[in-house]
Amino acid sequence: MTSSGVIRLRQEIEVWGTVLFIDAASLDVNETALHRAVNDLRNFVFHVDEVFSTYKSESLISQLRRNEISIDQTSDEVRDVWERCAIARDLTDGAFNPWAVEGGFDPSGLVKGWAGDKCAEILLAAGARHVQVNAAGDLALRGGFFDDGKVSPWSIGVVNPGNRQEVVQVFEITDGAIATSGTYERSAHILDPHTGLIAIGAKSATVIGPDGGLADALATALMVEGRDGAIWFSQPELAEYSAWVIDRYGDIAWSIGPESLKR
């Protein structure tokens, strides 16, 4: 418990090849309830890894990639992610395309953001009111940051892909998701689905919006298309989304969706 009476729980979980950071706070429930919720969340994220990992040979996704099962033989959550991937593919004119990957369908560019939203839902359902779920660049944020009796937006910094000690932009978000793709953790790992080569559209792409899975996919797609992807945000389905992108050449940043980028 903090001095202001709020119950706050912070934990790190090693999963999905990264470290998942959880910050949950509430005035409504006790510490035991938050611990129980984080345990439920922990079970969920390891379940997600067992189902969606392309590195685990017996995951449903691996079986699907080997054509051992069809999408209809998977599970509701896999079909949900499959459908979300199809929507993201259409919204980005194929710049995000999990079907154009060597080895078969790979939803990794969407599922982390999708799972982050699910984690936030688990914590909210247990009584947490101020939630941050941070999966190495994909964040689900709810209720703002509670500190010293006051609530303020979560301040989320984007670092320079060429110098991780330098924060180059800060976004303030109370409720929603923010996803950043770039060459931060795994170097140049995003491929252009049109060519099969390393994506050269951007150095870093950050997307803010209500849905973590779609924000994740859009950030991945902007790494492929760069400025050519700005047109996507004119679609009504993306009216609540905004982007901030560092160009591949010249270290010039551009943004679209000014309402969502207001600080």
Side-chain angles (χ1 to χ4, degrees), residues 2-261:
T2 68
S3 58
S4 60
V6 67
I7 301 297
R8 164 160 274 120
L9 189 61
R10 291 180 169 131
Q11 294 227 346
E12 293 183 348
I13 303 170
E14 292 188 17
V15 69
W16 309 335
T18 187
V19 176
L20 184 69
F21 173 74
I22 308 297
D23 185 344
S26 181
L27 286 165
D28 303 327
V29 296
N30 59 31
E31 190 171 355
T32 300
L34 282 188
H35 273 291
R36 189 180 303 118
V38 170
N39 284 335
D40 290 342
L41 182 155
R42 184 187 301 271
N43 291 335
F44 171 72
V45 298
F46 284 112
H47 164 75
V48 168
D49 199 37
E50 291 296 324
V51 171
F52 289 97
S53 174
T54 60
Y55 297 98
K56 295 180 182 293
S57 62
E58 295 310 309
S59 72
L60 286 177
I61 290 299
S62 291
Q63 294 178 57
L64 190 62
R65 283 160 60 85
R66 293 193 300 265
N67 295 316
E68 294 175 358
I69 57 175
S70 68
I71 186 62
D72 294 334
Q73 295 172 304
T74 58
S75 63
D76 289 344
E77 58 194 350
V78 173
R79 288 191 292 273
D80 179 32
V81 167
W82 175 281
E83 291 169 3
R84 290 169 181 266
C85 285
I87 291 169
R89 177 193 59 194
D90 294 345
L91 289 171
T92 61
D93 299 321
F96 175 81
N97 189 347
W99 291 271
V101 177
E102 184 178 356
F105 177 67
D106 180 356
S108 301
L110 179 144
V111 77
K112 192 148 59 86
W114 169 86
D117 280 351
K118 297 290 186 183
C119 289
E121 291 170 12
I122 290 171
L123 295 171
L124 292 175
R129 296 292 174 261
H130 311 282
V131 170
Q132 178 188 149
V133 179
N134 184 345
D138 296 321
L139 289 87
L141 305 163
R142 304 290 187 271
F145 177 65
F146 188 97
D147 183 51
D148 197 23
K150 300 177 182 178
V151 178
S152 58
W154 296 97
S155 293
I156 307 300
V158 177
V159 301
N160 184 341
N163 176 11
R164 297 197 61 177
Q165 304 305 310
E166 179 187 7
V167 175
V168 292
Q169 182 65 288
V170 175
F171 299 100
E172 296 186 346
I173 304 166
T174 299
D175 291 286
I178 178 169
T180 298
S181 289
T183 56
Y184 296 102
E185 286 203 335
R186 293 184 290 159
S187 188
H189 64 282
I190 297 173
L191 299 181
D192 183 335
H194 302 303
T195 66
L197 303 176
I198 293 295
I200 59 172
K203 283 185 178 179
S204 174
T206 297
V207 174
I208 301 167
D211 183 276
L214 185 52
D216 194 2
L218 288 167
T220 301
L222 284 168
M223 289 292 294
V224 173
E225 291 294 337
R227 287 177 182 263
D228 289 343
I231 189 65
W232 304 330
F233 294 83
S234 65
Q235 298 172 96
E237 296 91 339
L238 299 181
E240 297 181 79
Y241 291 80
S242 56
W244 187 81
V245 181
I246 302 175
D247 271 346
R248 172 64 62 177
Y249 306 103
D251 290 328
I252 298 171
W254 58 272
S255 64
I256 193 162
E259 289 301 313
S260 294
L261 290 175

